[in-house]
Amino acid sequence: MKFRGGNHTGVIEDVTYENILIDRPSQWPIWIGPAQQSDSRRLCAAHPCSLCWPVLRHAECRAPVGGSYRNVLLKNITIREPLTSPGVIFANDTNPMRGVVFDDVVVENPGTRPLGDDFYYCEGVKSGVAKGRTWPIPPCFRDQTSMIAEAQDSLLSDAPSPLEQIGR
């Protein structure tokens, strides 16, 4: 889901992607943000987001102010062995995304290039939530995954937490 740059406004709202399997994608498996494109001879120019970003340091990616994302749900998504980092979730800080939910979004053997162990570029998100078995969790999301919920529940009981059970 992407917005072009310029003085345009638009809304992406109440969208669900569900029951999807992506096998060995060669490019970003998840991209919610500015359009990564070139509309000139300068392939690395940011219009609004450079094709060379974030691989080349000088490349820029600018999230359009007029692009609004609300109530976006990714549910039951499996991504197997992406060749790159799992994704980009990026909006303008003055108009952040709201209500973005990853529910059982699982990336098996995620690539770390170019984003390293954060796995996601995640900026301009006001209310993002990871639920179910989602992994890895975008760094700007609230973690409400199963392991955390089970660990919190075990604190209220005498039973060992799932995290303690893993250590056994």
Side-chain angles (χ1 to χ4, degrees), residues 52-150:
C52 303
W53 179 88
V55 176
L56 299 181
R57 290 179 197 236
H58 71 276
E60 294 180 354
C61 188
R62 297 183 296 267
V65 174
S68 298
Y69 297 88
R70 296 189 292 259
N71 304 324
V72 175
L73 171 63
L74 278 67
K75 184 174 183 176
N76 193 26
I77 311 288
T78 300
I79 302 165
R80 293 183 182 152
E81 300 184 18
L83 300 180
T84 65
S85 300
V88 170
I89 307 144
F90 181 27
N92 194 290
D93 285 333
T94 63
N95 188 14
M97 292 183 195
R98 298 177 188 280
V100 180
V101 177
F102 283 21
D103 189 353
D104 288 329
V105 176
V106 177
V107 182
E108 298 171 358
N109 194 22
T112 57
R113 291 188 42 185
L115 301 176
D117 290 338
D118 279 344
F119 297 109
Y120 288 92
Y121 182 83
C122 197
E123 187 176 307
V125 180
K126 176 88 173 178
S127 54
V129 176
K131 295 181 173 185
R133 299 176 304 111
T134 295
W135 189 86
I137 297 166
C140 64
F141 278 34
R142 202 164 12 116
D143 184 351
Q144 292 183 348
T145 58
S146 310
M147 286 294 276
I148 295 299
E150 290 173 19

